[in-house]
Amino acid sequence: MSMDKIFDAATVEARIAAEWDKRQAFAAGANAKPGAPGFSVVIPPPNVTGSLHIGHALNNTLQDILVRWHRMRGFDTLWQPGQDHAGIATQMVVERQMAEAQEPGRREIGREEFLRKVWAWKRESGGTITGQLQRLGASLDWSRNAFTMSGAPGAPEGEGGNFHDAVIRVFVDMHDKGLIYRGKRLVNWDPRFETAISDLEVENREVDGQMWHFKYPLAGGETYEYVERDADGNVTLRETRDYISIATTRPETMLGDGAVAVHPGDARYAPIVGKLCEIPVGPKEHRRLIPIITDDYPDPDFGSGAVKITGAHDFNDYGVAQRNGIPLYALMDGQARMREDGLSYAESAAIATAAARGEDVGDVSAVNLVPEDLRGLDRYEARERVVEAINAEGLAVTDAEGSPWVERRKIMQPFGDRSGVVVEPMLTDQWFVDTAKIVQPAIDAVRTGRTRILPEQHEKVYFHWLENIEPWTISRQLWWGHQIPVWYGLDLEAPDFRDDQGDDQLDPVEMLRLLNEDRLVRPGEIQHCAASFDEVRAKFFDELAAQPAPIATGSVIEVEDREAAVDAFAMGLAEYQTTGDPTRIVYPVWRDPDVLDTWFSSGLWPIGTLGWPEDTEELRRYFPTDTLITGFDIIFFWVARMMMMQLAVVGEVPFRTVYVHGLVRDEKGAKMSKSKGNVIDPLDLIDQFGADALRFTLTSMAAMGRDPKLGPKHVEANRNFVTKIWNATRFAEMNGVFSAPSDQPAPQHTVNRWIMGETARARLALDEALAGYRFNDAAQGLYAFVWGKVCDWYVEFAKPLLDGEHADETRATMRWVIEQAITMLHPIMPFVTEEIWALTGNRSTMLVHGDWPTYGTELIDPVADRQMNWVIGLVEGIRSARAQMGVPAGAKLDLIVTEADPAARAALAANAPLVERLARVNPPVDGAAGRGMIAVAAPGASFALPIGDVIDAGAETARLEKALAKVEKDAAGLRGRLSNPRFAQNADPEVIEDTRGKLADLDEDIARTRAALEQLRSF
C-alpha cells in the first residue's frame, strides 16, 4: 500500500487504536521474551467522574513511553489501568442529576436505592476518561481495568472483583491490631456535603476579607499598665487598660472561645497572664469568663499579639487547646448552622466558666455556647448579629475617628474544591489511622534506597510530611464508598443504662416502660469490627453470652441505625412481657453509616489491582511494581500513604521508583485555571494537531524538576515534525527504498557509514535518557537525530547516490535508518510510527511489538564521522554567510580554497559534489581572498566567497546597521532589566533564566552582525 500525500492523524489514530485493541497488543506479558524480567506500572487512578486534562496527558504519556520501551525490549510488561470511585465527586454528580430531574433526594429514597442509581451512572457515564486515554495512545492492559469499588455489595453484573474485599480486610486487620481507632478530632468539614474532606480536597483562595478588633474586658474590672516599645526599647505607648484586645476574621467563633493566648515573651501582657477575661458576647447575665494563657503560637508582632483560642473551629487553636488543656466547644452543626441541640445557654455558660477556673467538668459535648437567639442561624448571619451586639455594647476597638476598627484585607480562605463553599474546621467523631505506628517503615524505605524519589528534591516533601505526620482521618459522611465494617449495639450493662432518676439494675419489663416513656438515658454502646454481618453476629453472641438471661438468649439482628435499634429492642421486650418467651427478645445492632475515604482504598492500589489478598500469579509476577509516575501535589496524599499501607499490610514497598513530574503551565508560565481562562484541553489539541504531536511536545518539555510551559504553537511545531517524518518516508518510498533488503547493511560509502554511526549514537543516547527519566533529553535527542541528521542531511546527501554505483547500498541504508528512526520514536509517537511501519513492508508483527535495537558504538566509523561532520560544518557556514549578507537564494557562488590541510582537502575531494549541491557553490578552486569576498572557515581550512557582483554592498550595509541598532537596543533593555535589583529579587527564577537566555542569543546575533559589517566595509 502506497503512502498518502499527507498523514491524516484523526483517521489513522482511530484505526490503529482499534487494531491494537483487536490484537490485545497491550496485554500483560505481550511480546515478553522467555525468562524476561518483569516491568510493571500502575496508573494513578483517575476519578471515575473525570475527563482528560493536560496533567493527565503529561502523566500518562510519560508512563506510556516507559511501558512501550520496556515492552519492545522484551520485558514481561504490565501497565495496570483503573479508576477511583471518587466518593464526593460521584455522589455530587448523581445527586445533581436527581435534582435536575426533580426526583426525590437520596434521603427520601434511601441508601440502597441511591447506590443503585450511582452504579447505573457509573455504567453509563463513568468510562469517559478510558476512551480519552485510548485516544492519547496509552497502552494499558484494558482487559484488567480495575475499579476501587469492584465487588462491593450491590455492585451490578460486570463490576465483580475483589478490590472491595481487599479494602474491608485491611480495615478489619488494622482495626484488630490497634492501628485504626475512632475518636473526636478537628477535621476539614464541607457544609454542603456534610462530610469530612482531606486537605487535597480543600482549595485555599485569596479573597477580600475583614478583620474585626474587639475588647475582652478583664474579670472584676481589673486594670493593668499596657506598654508598647519600639525596636530600641523606647516607650511609644503607655496606658491603663481594663481589657485585652484581639482581632478575628470570624467573630461568630468567639462564642466558643476557651482562652486568650499570648506569647510567653510578650512583656505587654505579663501582668495579666493567668487572669480571666470576659467574652464580649452573649446574654449579660450569663457572660462567661476565659483564662489568659501563654503559648508559643501567638506572634507578638502580628495584630495585638493576643489570639482568641477556639479549639473546636480552628486548626492552630486546636493545637493550643490540646497543649494547654482548654476544652473544645463545638458551635455548629453539619450544615455550618449554629447548633440547636445540647444544654441551654445558661447551663452551658456555667459549665464553661467552671472549666475556665480550672474545675474538671468532664465531657463537654453537650455544652452549647450559642445563645438561644442565635441558635439555628447560618454562620454568616450569626456573624453579623455577633458584631452588631459587640458594637452596641461599645466593646469594639475604635479607630482614630472613634468608629469600630475593621480592617479590609486579603485573607486566605479554604473552600471545598467540589462544593465551592467555605470549609469549616469541625470537631467530629471520625475514624483514624494511627499513622505514628506505621510511618517509620515508609521513612526507612526511602532513606535506605528501597524506593527512590526523583527528582531528589521531592524527598524533602516526603520526609517532612511523614516525620510530622498527624492521625489520618479515613471516614467520610457519604453513602458512595466502602461502608465502614463496624457494627454497634446497646451496652446493656453500661453504668449509664438507667432511668432519668438514676435507678439501675433494671429488668427487661422496666426497660420497656422507660423506653416507651422516652425516659431511658442514652445507654453506652459496644462495637465490633468484622468483614461481614455474619462474622460480626458471632462476636455479639459471644458478648451477650456473659450477660444474664433473658437478653443473652435473644437473636442478633441488623437494623438501620441506633434509633431503629431502640425501637427493635423495645418491641422484643414487649413480646417478652406479653408471652414470657425469652426467645422473642432480640438484640439489634446497626452498622456505622460512614464510608472510607477514597485515599484509604486507593492506598491499596498496587496490591488491590493485582488480586491481593488472593495469591495470584500477577501479584507474584508484578509486585512490587517498578515505577510510579505522579504529580508533585499528591506525594504525601497518595504516594506516602501507599508506602505506609503496603508496608503495613504485606511488608513490601509498592514501587521501586517514584518519578515526580512538574505542573503543566500555560506558555507564559502561569498556572492554568478556569477563572483565568487559560486552561488547555488536550483533546482539542489532539483534534487539531494529532496525539503524536501533543505527546512529543509534552515529552520534550518534561525536564526533571521543571514545570512545562505549553501553548498550541508548541504542539503545532511538533505536528510539523510529524509531517517531516512522513514526507521523508514518502520520499524514500517513491525512490524504491522499501524494496531493498531490510537487514542491517554494511555500506561502503562515507555518507551511509556516517548515518549508521549517527543512528547508533541516537540509540545509545535515547536508552541512557530513558533509563535516567530524562524524558526531555530523549525527545530532543530524537528530534535532533531524525529531523537534523536524517531528514535535513542524510536524505539530501543520499539523493545523488540513489542513481549511481552506490544506489543499492544507499537504498538499503536508508530503509534501515528510517526503520530504526520510527522504532526509536515509537514510544513517544506511537501512531505515525505504527502507520509508517505497516505501509513500508510486509511485517509479521505490529511495531508495538517490534524489536528494540541493541547495536552501539561498533557502528560508529570515525573516518566517515569526521568527514561528514566537516562537510556539514562547511555547508552550514556557507549558508549562514549567504543569509547574513543577503545573497539571493538562487545565486551560485564560486568557492575559493584559500587554505586547507591534507585532512580538509581529502574531505573536500571526497564530498565536493555534496558541498556544491547543498551550499549552491561552484566546484572549489585554490586562490586568494580579495575585495568583494567574504570568509568562511572550516576545521583545517579557510574559504572565500566572491559576492561583490551579486549583492548591493551599500544597501546590505545599511540593512545590517539598522538591524544591529535594533538588536543592540533590545539587548540593552534586557541587560538593564537583569541589573535591576528589584527584578532579581521579585521575578521567578524561570523568568530570570529566560531573560538571560534571550540576552545571550541577542549578544551572539550582535557579534555575527558586526563581523558581517566588517567584511562589507572592506569591499
Side-chain angles (χ1 to χ4, degrees), residues 433-449:
V433 172
D434 192 349
T435 46
K437 293 180 179 178
I438 64 173
V439 69
Q440 195 58 46
I443 294 173
D444 294 342
V446 175
R447 289 211 188 279
T448 59

Side-chain angles (χ1 to χ4, degrees), residues 407-482:
E407 291 183 74
R408 268 70 177 179
R409 58 164 61 187
K410 295 288 186 181
I411 61 173
M412 295 303 296
Q413 200 158 47
F415 289 81
D417 67 344
R418 299 288 181 184
S419 66
V421 302
V422 175
V423 169
E424 185 69 37
M426 195 79 78
L427 191 66
T428 59
D429 287 310
Q430 301 289 343
W431 286 95
F432 297 90
V433 172
D434 192 349
T435 46
K437 293 180 179 178
I438 64 173
V439 69
Q440 195 58 46
I443 294 173
D444 294 342
V446 175
R447 289 211 188 279
T448 59
R450 289 174 67 191
T451 294
R452 60 176 181 156
I453 299 176
L454 299 174
E456 293 181 357
Q457 69 200 50
H458 292 294
E459 287 185 358
K460 295 179 181 178
V461 176
Y462 178 86
F463 287 134
H464 177 78
W465 189 72
L466 290 180
E467 289 167 353
N468 297 275
I469 199 163
E470 296 284 340
W472 171 15
T473 313
I474 58 171
S475 48
R476 296 290 182 266
Q477 290 62 54
L478 304 169
W479 284 359
W480 174 240
H482 302 278

Side-chain angles (χ1 to χ4, degrees), residues 345-408:
Y345 184 80
E347 294 172 295
S348 299
I351 293 171
T353 298
R357 292 194 172 100
E359 298 178 27
D360 183 4
V361 297
D363 182 12
V364 297
S365 58
V367 171
N368 184 350
L369 293 172
V370 180
E372 272 79 4
D373 64 318
L374 300 182
R375 294 187 178 190
L377 296 182
D378 176 80
R379 54 184 161 168
Y380 298 119
E381 186 178 354
R383 176 181 297 179
E384 293 177 6
R385 300 269 285 271
V386 166
V387 172
E388 288 173 4
I390 296 174
N391 289 342
E393 198 170 331
L395 290 175
V397 176
T398 55
D399 58 21
E401 285 75 35
S403 300
W405 183 18
V406 183
E407 291 183 74
R408 268 70 177 179

